[in-house]
Amino acid sequence: MLDVNKCLGDAEEMMGMTIMHLEDEFAHIRAGKANIRILDDIRVESYGQSVPLNNVSALSTPDARTIAIRPWDKNMIKPIEKAIIDSPVGIIPSNNGEVIRLIIPPLTEERRRDLVKQSGKANESGKISIRNTRRDALDQLKKAIKDGLPEDAEKDAEEKLQKLHDKYIKKADELFAEKEKEIMTI
């Protein structure tokens, strides 16, 4: 017979993982401020291997509009610049022979709206994932009735599942509102 608490625990874990994924997606959306997370997906050729940018350099944000990349090996400046130019980041790097700087340009109103739309799509896909998790757990509970789970226990579990669903949907909407405010703030 189905362990109701395990079923609810698994559903809550999946919903929590969805929120973590959503937070990560929002972190990768550039909001006009310097954020080293936008460089997470950049890989650099180093000694014949493709490695993450943060494995060959120190990344920092000296001010709100600049990302500084200090390679540990000065020979890595050209490959790092090439990797940044080839990436979807969309910022041209400049260097002084020791440090590569990325100047984050201010966002136009149109670009801000596009980023809000992109964030909205990420939020909606997160909410869909949460709903799918709820649906899967409900299916398990319905099947458990056939296996001998009392109907009142199933109804209680459904109520708890709905509360979990509402909690995580609210959390996703709060994250989106926070990101939208960050993007639209000049």
Side-chain angles (χ1 to χ4, degrees), residues 101-127:
R101 295 192 193 294
L102 299 177
I103 309 300
I104 309 295
L107 298 172
T108 63
E109 187 66 27
E110 183 181 341
R111 181 68 178 136
R112 289 178 192 278
R113 284 194 201 106
D114 289 345
L115 289 173
V116 168
K117 282 181 187 173
Q118 183 182 349
S119 299
K121 287 178 183 174
N123 183 44
E124 192 55 41
S125 74
K127 288 165 57 172

Side-chain angles (χ1 to χ4, degrees), residues 113-180:
R113 284 194 201 106
D114 289 345
L115 289 173
V116 168
K117 282 181 187 173
Q118 183 182 349
S119 299
K121 287 178 183 174
N123 183 44
E124 192 55 41
S125 74
K127 288 165 57 172
I128 288 169
S129 178
I130 291 169
R131 289 186 201 112
N132 288 343
T133 300
R134 177 189 59 180
R135 184 197 63 222
D136 293 344
L138 284 173
D139 289 346
Q140 284 182 346
L141 291 170
K142 299 280 187 219
K143 288 177 186 170
I145 288 179
K146 294 175 185 167
D147 293 339
L149 181 70
E151 279 191 38
D152 57 338
E154 187 265 343
K155 290 292 179 202
D156 289 344
E158 267 187 42
E159 286 178 22
K160 289 177 183 174
L161 187 59
Q162 185 62 42
K163 286 179 184 173
L164 282 174
H165 167 269
D166 295 344
K167 171 184 158 186
Y168 283 99
I169 291 287
K170 182 179 177 201
K171 178 74 173 157
D173 285 336
E174 288 170 356
L175 288 171
F176 172 65
E178 199 176 290
K179 187 63 179 182
E180 182 179 28

Side-chain angles (χ1 to χ4, degrees), residues 11-181:
E12 184 170 17
E13 182 180 345
M14 289 297 293
M15 290 177 188
M17 289 170 63
T18 298
I19 293 297
M20 286 172 46
H21 178 73
L22 190 59
E23 287 172 337
D24 190 51
E25 276 195 50
F26 284 162
H28 284 89
I29 296 175
R30 184 166 67 91
K33 291 186 210 144
N35 180 355
I36 61 173
R37 298 282 307 268
I38 66 171
L39 303 175
D40 282 355
D41 295 334
I42 296 178
R43 299 187 73 76
V44 181
E45 283 299 317
S46 174
Y47 302 106
Q49 290 188 320
S50 178
V51 296
L53 178 60
N54 61 2
N55 283 8
V56 294
S57 61
L59 306 174
S60 63
T61 52
D63 61 56
R65 296 253 182 243
T66 308
I67 297 175
I69 304 165
R70 185 177 301 274
W72 292 316
D73 178 359
K74 292 201 185 347
N75 296 331
M76 291 302 297
I77 287 180
K78 290 292 180 205
I80 290 172
E81 283 185 330
K82 181 181 180 335
I84 292 170
I85 290 169
D86 293 345
S87 76
V89 171
I91 301 170
I92 302 299
S94 63
N95 81 70
N96 64 5
E98 290 185 20
V99 178
I100 299 169
R101 295 192 193 294
L102 299 177
I103 309 300
I104 309 295
L107 298 172
T108 63
E109 187 66 27
E110 183 181 341
R111 181 68 178 136
R112 289 178 192 278
R113 284 194 201 106
D114 289 345
L115 289 173
V116 168
K117 282 181 187 173
Q118 183 182 349
S119 299
K121 287 178 183 174
N123 183 44
E124 192 55 41
S125 74
K127 288 165 57 172
I128 288 169
S129 178
I130 291 169
R131 289 186 201 112
N132 288 343
T133 300
R134 177 189 59 180
R135 184 197 63 222
D136 293 344
L138 284 173
D139 289 346
Q140 284 182 346
L141 291 170
K142 299 280 187 219
K143 288 177 186 170
I145 288 179
K146 294 175 185 167
D147 293 339
L149 181 70
E151 279 191 38
D152 57 338
E154 187 265 343
K155 290 292 179 202
D156 289 344
E158 267 187 42
E159 286 178 22
K160 289 177 183 174
L161 187 59
Q162 185 62 42
K163 286 179 184 173
L164 282 174
H165 167 269
D166 295 344
K167 171 184 158 186
Y168 283 99
I169 291 287
K170 182 179 177 201
K171 178 74 173 157
D173 285 336
E174 288 170 356
L175 288 171
F176 172 65
E178 199 176 290
K179 187 63 179 182
E180 182 179 28
K181 181 181 174 192

